[in-house]
Amino acid sequence: MQFAQRLQPLQSNVFADMDQAKAVALSARKQLIDLSLGSSDLPAQPHVIDAIAKSLYDPSTHGYLLFHGTQAFRQAAAHWYERKFGIKVDPETEVMPLIGSQEGTAHLPLALLNPGDFALLQDPGYPSHAGGVYLASGQIYPMPLLVENNFLPVFADIPMDVLAQSRMMVLSYPHNPTAAIAPLDFFQEAVAFCQQHNIALVHDFPYVDLVFGETGNVVPSVLQADPDKSVSIEFFTLSKSYNMGGFRIGYAIGNAQLIQALRQVKAAVDFNQYRGILNGAIAALTGPQAGVTEAVNTFRKRRDAFINALHRIGWQVPTPKGTMYIWAKLPSPWHQNSVEFCTQLVKQTGVAASPGAGFGKSGEGYVRFALVHEPPILETAVTRIAEFL
């Protein structure tokens, strides 16, 4: 069989490569401590599970769910944004359910890019951002995220000939993998830049609640910098804040034209999720928020335990202000070979991490650890890392 050329860039990714390395370690009977995948190990809250469970016994939830049937969920999402960010949102035209934010970043390029058009992506960045562009036969212009710039892109460095062919820019803060946080004035700069060059501004926002600020735990939405929603769309998932990763539920919110375009793509691909999952998401968004606070406190404790353990073995890593990740600059002799570091680390110790090179060229020289275990296990992982080093 002959396959489309657009599949060529999708041959491998950081998670698939590490899955193979983990399989080798398991076959050698290593006790695996998997810090490579950012899938929360915390449970969804009981009131969320109850809402889903009750739906199972309601036959009216068993059929296809078309857009009109998602109205209650869209209203809950709009009210959540209004409470959190003070932004007025129209649930009929400015909100759309998604199967997680990853669906949004993967499908939106199909609505925006013609073959050869550019998407401006963060480097390093989340792999699905690039995957959606490749599926749309677009080109990627990587915006390097460097420590000296606080892991923020420098828009002035983008060549004018690239900008002339650019149709979308994808940002994501708090950022995976670097754990960087962007201030509101950065988003204001991004909005003005995209307005000037007629570019859609896409913000992937899964870690909105996983921040550890001493003076407050609120990070800005891109819509606060673009309250008229002139060029912006934001993707939110309940995977991180509400520990609902396996339920696959999120939503897009923002510019009505972008929402409509994404809706057209989605209509050609699938119907919506099971109504019971949306009922659970409504319960999460409108019900008690103590579970979100508990999750934040849990990841803060894990962050502190892991960072302190790394410091004890002499690996000086900055303390991140958000996300569930540690972005660590590799020591010599691994500082330019993150894939080999992670491959050998899991092979020899059973500790799995994600190589920075898997997130983009500018990620080389770093490794990402996901804080998806309790502190004693994280400290055991660091002990093994110390022996490896």
Side-chain angles (χ1 to χ4, degrees):
M1 294 184 183
Q2 291 185 343
F3 293 94
Q5 293 180 354
R6 67 175 59 89
L7 292 183
Q8 291 300 317
L10 307 179
Q11 292 293 321
S12 63
N13 64 63
V14 62
F15 302 121
D17 294 344
M18 284 311 301
D19 276 346
Q20 179 62 33
K22 285 183 283 187
V24 172
L26 287 171
S27 67
R29 299 185 181 278
K30 295 291 183 182
Q31 186 181 19
L32 190 67
I33 300 179
D34 193 351
L35 309 180
S36 66
L37 192 62
S39 178
S40 176
D41 59 313
L42 304 179
Q45 289 296 294
H47 67 281
V48 173
I49 302 300
D50 287 345
I52 297 173
K54 290 177 182 177
S55 301
L56 292 172
Y57 297 96
D58 179 0
S60 70
T61 70
H62 295 179
Y64 289 131
L65 182 62
L66 302 181
F67 183 78
H68 179 73
T70 69
Q71 184 181 53
F73 172 74
R74 288 183 279 111
Q75 289 173 340
H79 292 156
W80 188 88
Y81 252 78
E82 290 173 7
R83 290 195 309 270
K84 196 172 189 71
F85 299 111
I87 300 168
K88 187 68 176 176
V89 176
D90 182 352
E92 292 302 316
T93 62
E94 297 177 340
V95 183
M96 194 183 77
L98 296 172
I99 306 173
S101 63
Q102 183 165 329
E103 182 203 348
T105 58
H107 280 165
L108 187 60
L110 293 170
L112 287 174
L113 301 180
N114 289 314
D117 286 344
F118 273 102
L120 310 174
L121 303 187
Q122 294 169 304
D123 176 18
Y126 190 63
S128 79
H129 297 170
V133 176
Y134 290 134
L135 288 175
S137 299
Q139 299 188 75
I140 292 172
Y141 181 83
M143 300 183 293
L145 307 185
L146 307 177
V147 63
E148 55 264 33
N149 297 324
N150 298 314
F151 297 113
L152 301 174
V154 179
F155 302 136
D157 291 344
I158 304 171
M160 290 303 298
D161 59 334
V162 171
L163 288 174
Q165 293 179 258
S166 296
R167 300 294 175 261
M168 63 186 294
M169 174 191 290
V170 182
L171 301 174
S172 182
Y173 292 99
H175 184 244
N176 177 13
T178 69
I181 289 177
L184 180 59
D185 59 3
F186 167 78
F187 286 114
Q188 291 169 335
E189 178 188 358
V191 168
F193 184 84
C194 289
Q195 288 173 334
Q196 177 184 356
H197 296 285
N198 195 27
I199 295 171
L201 179 54
V202 183
H203 187 225
D204 195 8
F205 205 22
Y207 301 99
V208 53
D209 291 306
L210 289 188
V211 290
F212 316 117
E214 295 179 0
T215 58
N217 292 331
V218 178
V219 290
S221 160
V222 72
L223 301 183
Q224 290 176 291
D226 187 12
D228 295 331
K229 309 178 192 72
S230 63
V231 294
S232 305
I233 187 171
E234 196 155 61
F235 298 128
F236 176 72
T237 174
L238 281 78
S239 298
K240 312 302 182 182
S241 298
Y242 298 98
N243 306 314
M244 295 180 67
F247 295 98
R248 308 310 305 134
I249 178 65
Y251 56 85
I253 191 164
N255 177 277
Q257 290 177 295
L258 292 174
I259 293 289
Q260 176 61 23
L262 185 57
R263 182 179 168 186
Q264 288 178 271
V265 173
K266 185 175 178 65
V269 175
D270 64 63
F271 293 118
N272 294 284
Q273 297 92 318
Y274 169 55
R275 188 188 297 270
I277 292 176
L278 268 67
N279 290 340
I282 292 169
L285 294 171
T286 62
Q289 300 296 298
V292 178
T293 302
E294 292 171 9
V296 172
N297 289 336
T298 295
F299 283 109
R300 180 189 287 111
K301 292 175 182 177
R302 294 178 180 185
R303 174 203 66 174
D304 293 344
F306 196 75
I307 288 290
N308 290 337
L310 287 178
H311 288 178
R312 284 197 298 270
I313 69 171
W315 194 346
Q316 298 301 315
V317 175
T319 301
K321 296 180 180 179
T323 76
M324 55 172 64
Y325 308 113
I326 304 296
W327 185 242
K329 191 172 181 63
L330 285 166
S332 181
W334 307 99
H335 61 280
Q336 286 300 316
N337 201 342
S338 59
V339 173
E340 184 67 14
F341 172 86
C342 290
T343 301
Q344 292 301 319
L345 179 66
V346 71
K347 180 179 179 180
Q348 297 183 33
T349 72
V351 176
S354 292
F359 297 95
K361 181 180 178 180
S362 296
E364 182 57 279
Y366 289 85
V367 60
R368 192 197 74 176
F369 298 102
L371 302 172
V372 292
H373 293 283
E374 291 300 314
I377 297 178
L378 295 174
E379 290 170 354
T380 297
V382 175
T383 298
R384 297 186 192 179
I385 291 169
E387 295 170 354
F388 173 77
L389 293 176

